[in-house]
Amino acid sequence: MEIEAVCTVRLHSNGIATRSAVHVDGQETSASESAFAAHEAEIDLEPGEHVVALCCRSLSSMVPPSRPRARWRSSLVPDRRLRWLRTPLIGRIPWAGTAPVIGPWAGLEMTPIDEHEVRIRHVRTRMLEDGHGVVSIGLSSRECAVVHVSCAGAARTLRIGSGETTAELRVADPELWWPSTHGDPVLHALVLEVDDRQTEVRRVGFRTICAERDHGAFRLMVNGQAVYARGAVWAPVDPLGLDGSGEGVDQTVRLLVESGVNLLRVPGTDAYASPALMEACDRHGAMLWQDTPLASVDPPEDETWLQDLAAETEQWARRLGEHPCLAVWSGGSENYQQAVLSGRAPQVWTSTALETTIPRAVGTGAPELVYVANSPMGGTPPTRSDTGLSHYFGVGAYRRPLSDAVTSGVRFAAECLAFGCPPDPATIDEAFPDLGAHGSGDSWSRWRRDGARDPGASWSFEEITQHYARELLGPPPPRGVPREDEVPPGPVSDRPVCSPEQLSAERWTVEHVMTQVLGQWRRADSSCDGAIVLASRDLAPGPGWGLIDAHGRPKAGLRGFAAACARTALVLLDHGLDGLHVHVFHDGPERLRGQVDITTTTAQGGPGPSAQVGVDLAGPGEQVIPVEPELGGFLDITGAWGFGAAAYDGVDVELVPEAGSETAGHALRASFLRPGAHGITNR
């Protein structure tokens, strides 16, 4: 680093993994035992060349206490020392595409210091009961100064002394920030001007957030309106560098939001959200749920460890809490669940860290947030699906029928619907050029290695997908070879093959299951108030959990998610003996008016009865249309009654919004194929 004149610089990082020190010209300027602690130092430099060096020591150089022993073992985190050491767990859990995080994962910058500078240390917005907003600005100054602050039409000039001070600006009736499904994510420029020589601009938003938890519910309320929360567990765009370029993060968030995502959860297996992720969520209108980076381990009760955790949490809550997208903070991920599954008694589940230390620190750093002690939690035991937050994998890893998603009474699935889904052909051709149908070769080995799999499991998540594909697409064989955008393909083999037909079947299965389960949960008469799919993006090429593949391309799961979760969505759902129903979902504030066209196909392949039904929703809501009454009477299209030979193979519906509406020109379509038609069975 070359310096041309005498100057003072500020060296800053929000986190260096893990036991680290920063040296300038051989002199240590800062050091930390935690990957989540900030490094900051002011350094006087002479003209000439200077050397900045980072020293990151291995975890083996850190000797955590051996007592008291953990009350349970983590099935996810193999290294028992990690319950004591504060570092990202991603890369230390054996998932494909990851490696241990080492170095300045949260950035490292060196900036010259102006002797007259005034710094914004932190910003917080809040809404008052009278509809006005307040911006609180923490300032630090090296000398007395006159500052001018403006935001959303409000302005204030004040004189501040050296040191730190807090200024407040009252904003009359500001436009509110909304998740994109329910409104516009309005941001306002907060401008700081100092003696006409310095200007700093931040983007802030105003909103209220709370959760209704009556009778076992967990219902997010934004600006006083109930929001059906749906989204994905965030997987870093760059799992080695923990999020990569701002452009890559922005593209991923934008693609998810365009598909109906309004909530992203940063899990306890990751780190704290990056600035690029926070800014993208602010801009595109996705709420963010942050887990404290504690996953499945037993948090220590050591007083010094808890004090360090409190300082870390308050620091990060204050930093992330500047963003209107931040909505929920959880003490960790699957800590209580691991205790339950380890057979521990209820009195062992309690934790000072989750129930006292972290909520106090969050309350100090970002008091406007919704706090939950852990995910999952709420019922007795915390693994229950019908109370509070659950990690629901009944449909998925536990191979329950699709009806289980309804009968389990899921209230809020903070993690769900994990399937090993093949990427689309373009990505396979690029990443696995010699992938064949015979289970051999280098591509096949990498395909199996890079697929989604949990530590210790004897099966992969692609095998879960294949199970549901066999249930839905067993014999008889299909009529001809369908296109991927038409009817689903034929039987799924029990052999480990990667033929185009097999991969097509797996994609269709993931898309279908996503649409059906999320559509059932979104119904107004459902007990479910939210669903967060695992996961946003694949960590490696191959059949991963992601809605988006490792190259940034949408996968079948995202198409299924969008079909059920878009701001305006059209879904056909099977109501059992009550027949097939059309559900029109609409979350936007604007009025939705249009027409649903219903057409049927007979078992002989010809056209059957049809109908047209008007749709009129004054704002957020749902319109339900029973299909058979509109077609003239009982037709048993779904085959639920089973009297005689099936007369109909399927139903197609199309929603055409009327001219002048926000969605005009964007027709929505959905289809239903009767079990037994085109290779689908009831097995």
Side-chain angles (χ1 to χ4, degrees), residues 92-107:
R92 303 190 182 276
I93 301 170
W95 286 329
T98 66
V101 178
I102 300 172
W105 69 271

Side-chain angles (χ1 to χ4, degrees), residues 160-338:
I160 62 173
S162 61
E164 297 191 0
T165 188
T166 299
E168 287 197 344
L169 182 65
R170 186 182 177 99
V171 179
D173 195 24
E175 287 190 81
L176 300 180
W177 184 95
W178 287 90
S180 63
T181 50
H182 288 68
D184 296 325
V186 177
L187 297 173
H188 303 272
L190 171 64
V191 181
L192 172 71
E193 297 174 279
V194 183
D195 293 340
D196 300 323
R197 66 172 180 269
Q198 175 191 341
T199 301
E200 186 173 352
V201 180
R202 299 279 187 94
R203 306 292 291 181
V204 300
F206 297 88
R207 58 98 182 94
T208 63
I209 180 77
C210 66
E212 293 185 349
R213 311 189 200 209
D214 53 305
H215 308 295
F218 186 80
R219 184 178 306 109
L220 289 178
M221 306 287 294
V222 181
N223 301 326
Q225 181 176 325
V227 170
Y228 175 69
R230 63 274 197 177
V233 176
W234 180 256
V237 171
D238 175 8
L240 301 181
L242 287 193
D243 258 358
S245 71
E247 182 181 359
V249 172
D250 186 82
Q251 289 174 350
T252 299
V253 173
R254 177 180 52 78
L255 185 56
L256 292 167
V257 168
E258 288 174 351
S259 300
V261 164
N262 63 17
L263 177 63
L264 292 170
R265 173 175 159 239
V266 180
T269 53
D270 200 338
Y272 292 100
S274 68
L277 176 57
M278 301 301 296
E279 291 164 8
C281 288
D282 282 347
R283 184 164 49 252
H284 296 297
M287 297 180 289
L288 189 126
W289 168 324
Q290 175 70 63
D291 283 1
T292 301
L294 285 169
S296 76
V297 299
D298 177 18
E301 294 291 326
D302 178 79
E303 184 175 349
T304 300
W305 188 90
L306 291 171
Q307 289 173 350
D308 291 343
L309 179 66
E312 168 196 315
T313 305
E314 182 178 341
Q315 163 198 327
W316 280 98
R318 189 180 302 278
R319 181 177 299 129
L320 302 183
E322 296 185 359
H323 297 267
C325 66
L326 188 63
V328 180
W329 195 290
S330 170
S333 173
E334 297 187 350
N335 304 86
Y336 292 154
Q337 174 176 294
Q338 187 68 69

Side-chain angles (χ1 to χ4, degrees), residues 129-150:
E129 291 184 359
D130 62 5
H132 290 190
V134 174
V135 187
S136 297
I137 312 155
L139 300 170
S140 67
S141 178
R142 306 178 74 86
E143 59 183 24
C144 295
V146 175
V147 300
H148 182 77
V149 181
S150 60

Side-chain angles (χ1 to χ4, degrees), residues 103 217 281 298 316 362 372 401 414 464 482 522 551 631 649:
C281 288
D298 177 18
W316 280 98
V362 171
V372 295
I464 298 301
R522 192 178 176 184
H551 294 180
L631 296 175
D649 268 5

